[in-house]
Amino acid sequence: AAVDLDKCFEVVNELVNKAGAIIARRNETRQEFVCKQGDIDLVTETDKEVENLLMNGIKEQFPDHKFIGEEESSAEGAPKKLTDAPTWIIDPVDGTMNFVHAFPHSCISVGLVVNKVTELGIVYNPMLQQRFTARRGQGAFYNGKPIKVSGQKDLAKALITSEFGTTRDPEKMKVVNENFQKMAAKAHGLRVLGSAALNMSMVALGAADANYEFGIHAWDVCAGDIIVREAGGVVIDPAGGEFDMMSRRVLAASSTELAQEIAKTLTQFYPQPRDD
Ligand code: LIP
């Protein structure tokens, strides 16, 4: 059956409002957490509660839709194959480290993929009420107003975001540090704010010019990808090829020229295992 994307967008916006209210209230105090893979990969009760709220709300309206969720997949521990079925890709709290510290910079990130094409995305920071939305072919919006990337082409004038990531694996950290050094030397500025989805949204807004990261997951970047592209930006693989949502690698930029310059500059890393 055809997917009613208008209804999908309406339903998910309402659910995200409810979930956002929970996150914003809890963010007033520091949160208890448990470690997942390592001591800096965190999950809280709120992550699980918000994921359930979103998934149950969607299932009620669209019983045959599928899910790839951060906590859902870690619970099952199984890789997820992306099929042609309508699939919601959900990070209930992106930026969990910020959330446990009550640093008000985390968000809900939700994308809907149909026939392996992302149709819509929402990134919502309920603490600061920043809502980024996009639907395929209809542009990107910040709190309802159309947004555009900066169009910056020159790395020397670009504000770049990236992350330390959620592992202290020495090989990975070596690459992270090497790339921070390169960017600090070549770019206009470098920021590490703690949420992959919000990093990408800042590129869409034209506030940052590019974001790259090795080690992200599909749920961190699914919504950000469509929001950046609908804002006129590009999302590619950090080595310069096509973006692969399950590869755990991303490079978003305000222009093809900037994306390719960063791709040439970066020391490459291929996180294992992939998401699928
Ligand atoms: C995290 C991101 C963080 C990034 C990690 C991770 P989580 O998501 O927000 O910025 O470095 O790769 O994916 O675990 O907080 O939802």
Side-chain angles (χ1 to χ4, degrees), residues 14-78:
E14 269 172 38
L15 289 168
V16 160
N17 288 344
K18 279 191 203 157
I22 297 174
I23 294 173
R25 189 163 2 100
R26 305 263 169 86
N27 196 75
E28 288 168 11
T29 54
R30 294 189 176 209
Q31 297 295 305
E32 295 295 330
F33 58 90
V34 293
C35 300
K36 287 196 292 190
Q37 317 276 332
D39 59 0
I40 54 171
D41 192 5
L42 314 174
V43 61
T44 68
E45 278 309 313
T46 305
D47 294 65
K48 292 178 196 158
E49 189 181 331
V50 166
E51 187 173 272
N52 284 330
L53 188 156
L54 295 171
M55 281 177 52
N56 293 338
I58 292 166
K59 273 182 199 159
E60 232 169 71
Q61 300 286 337
F62 312 106
D64 56 338
H65 288 190
K66 293 191 167 2
F67 296 90
I68 296 179
E70 175 165 33
E71 311 318 332
E72 189 235 2
S73 47
S74 64
E76 286 175 28

Side-chain angles (χ1 to χ4, degrees), residues 131-179:
R131 183 190 304 254
F132 299 89
T133 55
R135 289 183 57 182
R136 186 162 66 93
Q138 297 183 22
F141 297 83
Y142 172 55
N143 292 343
K145 283 197 288 193
I147 52 174
K148 272 206 116 357
V149 296
S150 68
Q152 184 56 255
K153 295 185 168 98
D154 183 358
L155 181 55
K157 293 186 183 139
L159 185 61
I160 310 294
T161 59
S162 190
E163 295 295 326
F164 290 101
T166 53
T167 166
R168 288 193 172 111
D169 165 47
E171 252 177 75
K172 165 84 190 305
M173 284 312 292
K174 189 167 169 276
V175 174
V176 167
N177 290 329
E178 219 171 280
N179 284 327

Side-chain angles (χ1 to χ4, degrees), residues 41 70 91 93-97 163 165-166 194-196 213 215-216 220:
D41 192 5
E70 175 165 33
D91 192 344
V93 182
D94 182 54
T96 308
M97 177 66 81
E163 295 295 326
T166 53
S195 157
E213 189 175 343
I216 43 84
D220 299 316

Side-chain angles (χ1 to χ4, degrees), residues 108-123:
I108 302 168
S109 170
V110 185
L112 173 62
V113 182
V114 183
N115 294 318
K116 302 193 180 75
V117 175
T118 304
E119 291 289 349
L120 62 85
I122 300 190
V123 171

